[in-house]
Amino acid sequence: MKLLLNKAFFKRSGASFSRLMPRKLFRDESGATAVEFGIVALPFFAIIGAILETALVMLAGQVLESAVLDSSRLIRTGVAKKEAYDLATFKSKICDKLYVLVKCDAVYVDVKTISNYSAIDLSRPVDSSGNFLTNFNFLPGNSSEIVVVKGFYQFPLIFSNLGLDLSDLPNGKRLIGSTSVFLNEPFPW
């Protein structure tokens, strides 16, 4: 076979490559599907992965939102004040309502009272470099005070290196946040 494909052989014999090789070999397309799949597979699976990851980020955001809203009721009704909750206790109440997508040890909670609704700060807790700030407080307020409860979670991403990047923090994670603003009920105590 090496002799047949040697250029010197073709020059000496006057034969052409196409005359020596059967025409059926040139028309053979049995491996074309595998080659085409190999070309298309990586972008296809990258897009499917990005779609799934986007859905997981949205689901994790909804889980955090639900947990923060449900747990905020403990502050609004005065249970947190009556039972002298601290930040760790309130965070554990939020964690009780979280599911598999959100790890409790990476959840951050900020509870503040404000004087009026126009004083609400909805900015992201990041510094000028984009790093997440974790200096949060727990000030649930008294009866009939306005309270802002914020919950944050840094969601780890998988497909951020394939050009389909959802990350918004320098550590390659996506910051998910939830905010609940309400007026405390008039506590009887």
Side-chain angles (χ1 to χ4, degrees):
M1 189 68 169
K2 286 184 181 180
L3 181 64
L4 290 177
L5 298 178
N6 189 343
K7 287 183 180 181
F9 171 77
F10 289 117
K11 286 183 181 178
R12 278 182 275 143
S13 67
S16 70
F17 182 74
S18 61
R19 277 191 289 165
L20 292 175
M21 297 303 290
R23 290 181 187 250
K24 189 164 70 171
L25 183 63
F26 285 115
R27 292 188 195 128
D28 187 15
E29 295 181 6
S30 61
T33 305
V35 171
E36 289 169 359
F37 178 76
I39 293 170
V40 174
L42 183 62
F44 173 74
F45 287 120
I47 290 171
I48 295 297
I51 290 169
L52 291 175
E53 186 167 68
T54 302
L56 288 176
V57 167
M58 293 176 70
L59 181 60
Q62 191 60 39
V63 167
L64 180 65
E65 177 82 21
S66 177
V68 168
L69 287 175
D70 288 349
S71 300
S72 294
R73 183 164 172 75
L74 297 171
I75 294 174
R76 185 174 54 241
T77 58
V79 173
K81 189 76 166 173
K82 184 177 182 181
E83 296 180 9
Y85 282 11
D86 60 351
L87 182 59
T89 307
F90 184 67
K91 181 180 170 181
S92 71
K93 298 297 182 184
I94 290 175
C95 290
D96 290 344
K97 298 178 181 338
L98 295 175
Y99 302 106
V100 179
L101 289 176
V102 180
K103 295 180 183 174
C104 184
D105 57 345
V107 172
Y108 295 90
V109 179
D110 187 26
V111 179
K112 293 180 183 174
T113 57
I114 55 174
S115 57
N116 57 35
Y117 289 106
S118 62
I120 298 171
D121 179 20
L122 296 177
S123 62
R124 294 166 29 101
V126 294
D127 63 12
S128 59
S129 301
N131 296 314
F132 181 60
L133 302 173
T134 60
N135 52 346
F136 296 132
N137 300 312
F138 184 75
L139 304 168
N142 295 313
S143 174
S144 300
E145 286 188 326
I146 301 171
V147 179
V148 179
V149 178
K150 296 179 184 179
F152 297 100
Y153 178 68
Q154 298 178 59
F155 192 86
L157 300 172
I158 299 169
F159 291 96
S160 58
N161 295 333
L162 296 175
L164 308 166
D165 195 3
L166 292 175
S167 68
D168 58 357
L169 296 174
N171 61 3
K173 295 181 179 181
R174 175 79 178 184
L175 183 62
I176 298 172
S178 172
T179 304
S180 177
V181 181
F182 52 87
L183 179 68
N184 278 345
E185 294 177 2
F187 312 144
W189 48 87

